[in-house]
């Protein structure tokens, strides 16, 4: 979950499901498939060359267009460029051993023009007509910055984010970092104003900035600094709400500060009671010199704490206080089966598609 600044009090987080730097199974599978496609098309090219030389009457030089067309449909840009290069060499070899005729020369020229057009088409498809691949890359970067750091034994934390209507971009994000040489963790849940691409690009910018602030400042200075940062951007829709949790991994004591954001909710395992931790402070990016009043508590063994955005508990027909009651009720029912994958399971139970939503679930075993 975070872009981190390299200082002595912070450690780089590990992704939730895999170690950093290890390629995903999907990326590895896609790379292997592309290599197999390229190998098959190269074999088809060489086979065409052999048949063209030995069976010139039955195999025209235009047959090289078949692997070229298949490659434009099946291969990424770099493998396709390799195929085009090999095709050019094969056509040149065939041209050298065949009887030169005006029809042969015109066919070779047409194949060359066709190859150039296909290279341009593959390159445009990779970039997308409006730079879509760049936007997908921005989305992936936002997701990677929202990975939670690995917590010590006895602690677990999970963050889940979903966009409204299954859109590719969301204005909700999470950043976190270990502080105090790994003895504490700070988690920030942010809801950026707006939806879709506009909110997603602002969320990407803010996630990097907020990730840099975590651990570089004392917890009480984080929200004021984040507020100043948004004010300097002078966005027309530049406000955001946030909840900032500073948690000691040694004692379980925490401070929660909110900026126009829904409160945190804590389960007291000993009594089975849920407590709403309400803090006060305006949304970020609206007021100069804003005050953010903290609320404090402690997570005992078995306790859990939830942070979430308003998209999870508030709808046009329901106030967020009723939504919190529903969230707590679902969490109680879910807790009977344990809190493993708690955020994911809880979001599945409450999921609606009308707004972006994010949920962080921290549990002390």
């Amino acid at each position: 979950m975070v872009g981190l600044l390299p200082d002595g009090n912070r450690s780089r987080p590990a992704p939730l499901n895999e170690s950093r730097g290890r390629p995903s199974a999907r990326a590895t599978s896609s790379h292997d498939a592309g290599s197999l496609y390229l190998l098959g098309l190269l074999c088809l090219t060489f086979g065409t060359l052999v048949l063209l030389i030995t069976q010139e009457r039955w195999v025209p030089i235009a047959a090289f267009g078949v692997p070229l067309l298949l490659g434009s449909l099946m291969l990424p840009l770099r493998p396709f460029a390799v195929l085009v290069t090999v095709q050019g060499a094969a056509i040149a070899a065939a041209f050298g051993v065949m009887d030169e005729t005006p029809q042969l020369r015109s066919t070779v020229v047409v194949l060359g023009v066709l190859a150039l057009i296909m290279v341009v088409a593959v390159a445009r498809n990779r970039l997308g007509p409006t730079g879509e691949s760049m936007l997908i890359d921005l989305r992936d970067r936002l997701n990677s910055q929202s990975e939670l750091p690995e917590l010590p034994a006895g602690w677990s934390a999970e963050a889940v984010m979903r966009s409204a209507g299954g859109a590719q971009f969301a204005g909700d994000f999470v950043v976190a970092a270990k502080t105090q040489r790994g003895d504490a963790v700070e988690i920030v849940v942010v809801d950026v104003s707006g939806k879709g691409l506009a909110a997603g690009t602002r969320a990407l910018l803010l996630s990097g900035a907020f990730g840099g602030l975590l651990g570089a400042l004392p917890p009480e200075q984080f929200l004021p600094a984040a507020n100043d940062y948004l004010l300097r951007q002078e966005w027309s829709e530049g406000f955001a709400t946030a909840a900032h949790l500073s948690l000691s991994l040694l004692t379980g004591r925490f401070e929660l500060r909110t900026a126009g954001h829904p409160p945190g909710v804590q389960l007291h395992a000993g009594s089975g009671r849920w407590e709403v931790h309400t803090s006060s402070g305006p949304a970020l990016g609206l007021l100069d010199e804003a005050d953010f009043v903290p609320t404090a508590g402690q997570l005992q063994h078995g306790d859990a704490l939830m942070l979430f955005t308003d998209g999870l508990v508030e709808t046009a027909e329901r106030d967020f206080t009723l939504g919190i009651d529903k969230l707590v009720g679902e969490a109680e029912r879910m807790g009977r089966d344990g809190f493993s994958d708690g955020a994911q399971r809880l979001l599945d139970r409450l999921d609606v598609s009308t707004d972006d939503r994010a949920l962080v679930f921290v549990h002390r075993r």
Side-chain angles (χ1 to χ4, degrees):
M1 203 183 323
V2 178
L4 299 176
L5 291 177
D7 66 62
N9 292 331
R10 308 175 67 190
S11 60
R12 182 173 294 275
L16 290 175
N17 298 322
E18 60 186 12
S19 60
R20 186 174 296 274
R22 181 183 301 171
S24 66
R26 180 180 298 179
T28 302
S29 176
S30 176
H31 176 76
D32 292 342
S35 299
L36 290 176
Y37 291 149
L38 176 60
L39 181 60
L41 292 173
L42 290 176
C43 292
L44 181 58
T45 299
F46 288 122
T48 302
L49 176 61
V50 171
L51 290 175
L52 185 62
I53 294 175
T54 59
Q55 304 289 333
E56 182 179 348
R57 289 183 56 191
W58 306 105
V59 181
I61 195 170
F64 282 112
V66 175
L68 193 65
L69 176 61
L70 292 175
S72 69
L73 298 175
M74 302 167 64
L75 297 177
L77 181 58
R78 285 188 179 182
F80 184 65
V82 173
L83 176 64
V84 170
T85 302
V86 173
Q87 285 251 321
I91 291 174
F95 189 78
V97 300
M98 297 174 65
D99 295 333
E100 185 175 343
T101 64
Q103 182 181 4
L104 178 63
R105 288 196 298 269
S106 62
T107 303
V108 170
V109 171
V110 170
L111 285 174
V113 173
L114 182 64
L116 179 61
I117 293 174
M118 288 184 176
V119 168
V120 174
V122 171
R124 284 181 59 84
N125 182 63
R126 179 176 181 268
L127 294 175
T130 57
E132 291 168 353
S133 67
M134 179 182 68
L135 300 179
I136 298 303
D137 181 62
L138 294 180
R139 180 200 63 187
D140 293 342
R141 288 176 182 270
L142 182 60
N143 290 337
S144 67
Q145 289 176 349
S146 296
E147 293 168 352
L148 290 169
E150 184 177 355
L151 300 184
W155 291 93
S156 65
E158 183 186 3
V160 179
M161 290 159 292
R162 292 181 185 168
S163 57
Q168 292 182 343
F169 299 91
D172 294 359
F173 66 91
V174 179
V175 291
K178 288 182 182 178
T179 58
Q180 301 177 19
R181 301 190 181 277
D183 291 337
V185 64
E186 294 184 39
I187 302 175
V188 182
V189 181
V190 183
D191 183 357
V192 179
S193 60
K195 295 180 181 179
L197 178 58
T201 52
R202 288 198 298 268
L204 178 66
L205 176 62
L206 292 181
S207 67
F210 289 4
L213 292 175
L214 281 180
L217 296 172
E220 64 274 10
Q221 296 181 18
F222 173 81
L223 287 181
N227 183 58
D228 292 341
Y229 179 82
L230 262 77
L231 288 172
R232 291 196 301 270
Q233 305 311 305
E234 297 182 349
W235 290 328
S236 58
E237 296 183 13
F239 72 91
T241 69
H244 174 228
L245 173 70
S246 176
L247 171 66
S248 170
L249 299 174
L250 299 179
T251 65
R253 296 195 61 81
F254 66 85
E255 287 187 345
L256 176 64
R257 295 172 174 84
T258 59
H261 201 83
V265 181
Q266 178 186 359
L267 166 66
H268 295 276
S271 62
R273 180 175 59 89
W274 288 86
E275 178 183 1
V276 177
H277 289 278
T278 303
S279 173
S280 63
L284 303 175
L286 296 181
L287 300 175
D288 284 322
E289 304 296 333
D291 292 328
F292 303 95
V293 180
T295 181
Q298 185 172 13
L299 290 179
Q300 304 288 351
H301 291 284
D303 288 3
L305 181 67
M306 292 188 294
L307 304 176
F308 43 86
T309 57
D310 60 1
L312 190 61
V313 295
E314 187 176 30
T315 66
E317 299 82 18
R318 183 182 67 199
D319 183 73
F320 82 90
T321 55
L322 297 178
I324 292 177
D325 290 340
K326 182 178 181 181
L327 173 66
V328 168
E330 292 291 346
E332 285 183 350
R333 284 186 284 273
M334 181 195 71
R336 297 167 188 164
D337 300 323
F339 290 122
S340 177
D341 296 326
Q344 183 72 53
R345 292 161 51 205
L346 194 54
L347 202 59
D348 289 340
R349 289 170 178 258
L350 294 168
D351 205 8
V352 292
S353 58
T354 57
D355 196 3
D356 299 333
R357 54 263 188 226
L359 173 64
V360 172
F361 195 93
V362 181
H363 179 225
R364 188 178 189 186
R365 301 187 185 94

